[in-house]
Amino acid sequence: MDRVSVAGGAAIALLGALLLLDQTDVLELRFAWAAPAVLAAVGVVLLAAGLDGPRKR
Amino acid sequence: MTSHDFHADPTRPGAIPASSVPPRRQPPPAPPPPGPRRLTRSREDRILAGVSGGLGRYFDVDPILFRLAFAVLVFAGGAGAVAYLAAWLFVPEEGSRTPAAGGSVGQVLLRATLAVVVITVAVLAAFGVFIGAAFGGGPVIAGVVIAAGLAMLVAGLLGVRRARWLALPALVVAIPLAVVAAADVDVDGGIGDREYHPASVTELRDGYDLGMGELIVDLRDVALPQGRTPLDIELGAGSALVLVPADVCVDARARIGVGHADVLGRESDGVDLELEWAGRPADASVPRLALDAEIGAGELKVRRASALFAGDIEPFGGDSCGAVS
């Protein structure tokens, strides 16, 4: 299992779901929520990649 | 005297002839001290110029860290693009001792041109996503982001590392969509610059709508009736300027996703702005303009006619019938 892909993929899918809910008027996203959501998704990918260490050669 | 001197002195009693002494085995030469690690652009692990691959190898971390950092910083005033371009030019490629900028003028120009083209394409793609989402394509774009995330997730569960690259385009698409979603940018009103200059109340609309561009509503020639006159302004992205006559009170409500408001000299900026200005209670005979503005991303300006003739100095207060509630 590639933890970076799993964690990053889950974070990106959740971010996409949040944006989809806004675009379908299920919820009204504001910057107060959107900015942390984007940064959290980016942070999850970065954190997972950082914890995973260097690429195996 | 050292043992070497002892053996080497054949006149000394009991001395052993040098020819019978086995030669001392020399220790293997110590490996040369490792040179300083050099930051180079990777030849194998590259998407554009191998900058992130080289940084990942240098710092012994996954290159996706740097790829994402460059991509995210592109949205921070283009800092990521400038940093990548600089690294491309000044960090030598693996196996080479001269940076790209140290090559021939033609090579440098070629690389710089290629970098500018790639970055321009990326920025245009992000702008395209912004426009596409503003025109109602948001659900589709959000679906693409979800699909990319799920593809990464499934690939990760199957142990496939190569799907990691999907994170980059997915986030590059998601960020402008998030801006559109948060600012509630709606460009149904069209794109371009619009200027409205009604000459009388009968020409005055209830509302003015523009998707993207500059919207000017000039009410200076309108003799507003006594009482309250509503005026709605809707702007997806851009700037809106409302010029009001000198003798009216202004009540203003503004919702701005991200941007700046300047209503009769009262300024505010930031994100998720919800502002309300109420004119001071005045004689009912005084005309009162009830402005309701909704702006996704951009600026709202409300100017009084007298201010235009006074060097843009806002006559706020006094008889201007304005006060922050």
Side-chain angles (χ1 to χ4, degrees):
Chain A
M1 185 174 76
D2 181 26
R3 286 177 298 180
V4 178
S5 296
V6 171
I12 289 170
L14 285 176
L15 176 63
L18 187 67
L19 295 173
L20 184 62
L21 290 176
D22 173 88
Q23 293 296 300
T24 52
D25 292 332
V26 176
L27 57 83
E28 188 176 348
L29 203 58
R30 310 300 299 269
F31 275 100
W33 286 95
V38 170
L39 292 177
V42 174
V44 166
V45 177
L46 293 179
L47 194 61
L51 291 175
D52 193 53
R55 178 170 293 187
K56 280 79 177 176
R57 296 179 192 281
Chain B
M1 177 182 289
T2 65
S3 60
H4 179 75
D5 296 334
F6 176 81
H7 289 301
D9 183 4
T11 61
R12 194 175 189 280
I16 303 171
S19 59
S20 64
V21 177
R24 182 177 295 174
R25 177 171 293 175
Q26 294 294 323
R37 277 197 305 168
R38 293 180 68 238
L39 174 61
T40 55
R41 290 182 286 117
S42 174
R43 283 181 183 275
E44 299 170 353
D45 189 5
R46 60 165 51 192
I47 291 178
L48 288 178
V51 172
S52 297
L55 285 168
R57 184 180 52 206
Y58 185 81
F59 290 106
D60 208 19
V61 295
D62 195 307
I64 197 172
L65 281 167
F66 296 99
R67 292 194 176 114
L68 278 178
F70 280 125
V72 171
L73 285 175
V74 166
F75 293 94
V82 174
Y84 194 93
L85 185 60
W88 190 344
L89 288 174
F90 296 111
V91 175
E93 194 170 37
E94 190 178 0
S96 166
R97 299 198 68 83
T98 56
S104 68
V105 174
Q107 285 177 325
V108 173
L109 284 177
L110 181 64
R111 287 194 173 96
T113 305
L114 188 58
V116 169
V117 168
V118 169
I119 290 165
T120 303
V121 168
V123 170
L124 286 177
F127 186 68
V129 170
F130 184 91
I131 296 293
F135 270 104
V140 175
I141 297 170
V144 170
V145 175
I146 294 173
L150 291 177
M152 273 185 70
L153 181 62
V154 172
L157 289 173
L158 297 174
V160 179
R161 294 169 59 100
R162 295 180 63 86
R164 288 183 181 187
W165 67 271
L166 281 172
L168 198 58
L171 287 173
V172 167
V173 168
I175 290 173
L177 175 58
V179 172
V180 171
D184 205 12
V185 176
D186 184 356
V187 295
D188 284 345
I191 295 178
D193 296 340
R194 308 268 171 83
E195 182 168 354
Y196 300 94
H197 195 160
S200 64
V201 174
T202 54
E203 293 182 13
L204 184 63
R205 301 182 189 175
D206 289 339
Y208 295 88
D209 189 6
L210 177 62
M212 189 177 293
E214 184 181 21
L215 175 64
I216 298 175
V217 181
D218 187 349
L219 306 178
R220 286 177 294 174
D221 293 339
V222 179
L224 292 176
Q226 293 180 356
R228 187 171 179 275
T229 301
L231 179 68
D232 292 343
I233 299 287
E234 280 192 33
L235 176 64
S239 66
L241 171 63
V242 180
L243 302 173
V244 299
D247 59 347
V248 301
C249 293
V250 177
D251 296 339
R253 290 181 63 231
R255 289 178 300 282
I256 301 176
V258 55
H260 172 252
D262 176 359
V263 177
L264 299 176
R266 301 287 176 154
E267 298 191 45
S268 185
D269 54 32
V271 298
D272 294 339
L273 296 176
E274 291 202 14
L275 310 168
E276 193 163 346
W277 291 266
R280 198 177 51 236
D283 189 333
S285 63
V286 176
R288 183 175 289 268
L289 181 69
L291 175 64
D292 191 347
E294 190 155 337
I295 295 177
E299 180 183 50
L300 170 67
K301 279 186 179 178
V302 179
R303 292 273 193 265
R304 195 179 295 281
S306 57
L308 301 175
F309 301 108
D312 211 23
I313 299 170
E314 293 295 344
F316 201 81
D319 62 352
S320 65
C321 186
V324 176
S325 63

